[in-house]
């Protein structure tokens, strides 16, 4: 089945636009700047969606429960089209800034945190994703030692491992996934950065 991407620009004031914008604005400050959303696109890729749903069923079968989290991924603009077409490539983990909490794809519940991994251009973009999580474990930050290539074994389950590692599993500032099909890009947000003192209600 060929992968086809449909991108639809959402109109301000619609329920989906405002839902994504609210999620974006909830934690949109980083390094003295706040982020202002300029546009939001909805992404539809039926091939990736089918693989995501199959992985969700697998998690449910193996772990007995699964949660779908809305998480941000900051990346270079040049990579976005390929991600939307083919999903994340786990083999490319941390090529820009490292893999401090595991050799997988990093996400964040905080748009401000995710923005640190974007291009830092006048206008940048980041991706909102549905991310499957069943069993999550906090891990120590890698500061130049051996890289965590896969999550630890899950206690009491022969040959099963945690599916997710994290810096802090409560605030979800860094969440790492090790399987591409456990992630699904759903929206592209174009944004600008402004000094916190210059932010208005659009950043709230």
């Amino acid at each position: 089945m060929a992968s086809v991407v449909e991108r639809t620009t959402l109109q301000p004031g619609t329920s989906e636009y405002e839902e994504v914008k609210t999620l974006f604005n909830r934690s949109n400050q980083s390094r003295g700047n706040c982020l202002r959303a300029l546009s939001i696109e909805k992404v539809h890729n039926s091939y990736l969606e089918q693989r995501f749903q199959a992985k969700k069923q697998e998690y449910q079968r193996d772990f007995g429960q699964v949660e779908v989290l809305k998480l941000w991924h900051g990346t270079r603009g040049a990579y976005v089209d390929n991600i939307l077409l083919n999903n994340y490539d786990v083999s490319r983990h941390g090529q820009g800034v490292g893999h401090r909490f595991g050799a997988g794809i990093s996400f964040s519940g905080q748009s401000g945190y995710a923005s640190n991994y974007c291009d830092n251009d006048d206008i940048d973009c980041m991706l909102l994703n549905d991310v499957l999580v069943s069993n999550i474990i906090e891990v120590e930050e890698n500061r130049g030692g051996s890289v965590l290539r896969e999550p630890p074994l899950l206690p009491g389950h022969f040959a099963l491992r945690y599916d997710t590692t994290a810096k802090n599993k409560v605030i979800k500032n860094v969440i790492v996934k090790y399987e591409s099909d456990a992630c699904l890009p759903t929206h592209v947000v174009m944004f600008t950065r402004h000094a916190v003192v210059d932010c208005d209600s659009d950043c709230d």
Side-chain angles (χ1 to χ4, degrees), residues 19-180:
E19 179 182 346
V20 175
K21 181 182 175 183
T22 297
L23 188 62
F24 182 80
N25 288 348
R26 188 174 297 163
S27 54
N28 66 339
Q29 294 191 14
S30 175
R31 299 176 179 175
N33 292 322
C34 68
L35 314 180
R36 180 180 297 152
L38 297 179
S39 66
I40 300 174
E41 290 180 282
K42 181 178 183 178
V43 178
H44 174 68
N45 183 326
S46 59
Y47 175 70
L48 297 187
E49 289 172 6
Q50 289 179 22
R51 295 180 66 89
F52 180 81
Q53 290 302 323
K55 181 60 67 173
K56 184 178 180 182
Q57 293 176 7
E58 179 185 320
Y59 272 36
Q60 184 66 45
R61 182 187 67 243
D62 291 346
F63 300 115
Q65 48 83 30
V66 60
E67 183 178 6
V68 180
L69 302 182
K70 294 285 188 182
L71 299 175
W72 300 100
H73 180 80
T75 188
R76 294 179 178 177
Y79 298 156
V80 170
D81 287 347
N82 187 62
I83 291 172
L84 300 183
L85 183 64
N86 300 305
N87 214 340
Y88 297 97
D89 183 354
V90 176
S91 68
R92 293 179 61 88
H93 60 80
Q95 289 199 351
V97 289
H99 32 257
R100 295 177 296 162
F101 297 94
I105 303 299
S106 293
F107 298 91
S108 180
Q110 303 171 351
S111 60
Y113 191 101
S115 72
N116 297 327
Y117 300 88
C118 298
D119 284 323
N120 199 28
D121 290 335
D122 291 340
I123 299 177
D124 274 336
C125 66
M126 73 172 67
L127 304 178
L128 181 62
N129 307 265
D130 285 344
V131 179
L132 301 176
V133 173
S134 287
N135 292 281
I136 184 171
I137 185 172
E138 294 180 3
V139 295
E140 294 292 329
E141 181 176 2
N142 173 35
R143 298 182 180 273
S146 59
V147 177
L148 183 66
R149 298 291 177 182
E150 57 185 350
L153 288 167
L154 191 62
H157 294 76
F158 177 73
L160 275 182
R161 294 181 178 274
Y162 287 90
D163 57 89
T164 308
T165 54
K167 178 180 181 180
N168 185 311
K169 62 184 182 181
V170 176
I171 64 174
K172 299 180 175 63
N173 51 350
V174 182
I175 298 291
V176 180
K177 298 299 298 183
Y178 298 79
E179 299 174 295
S180 296

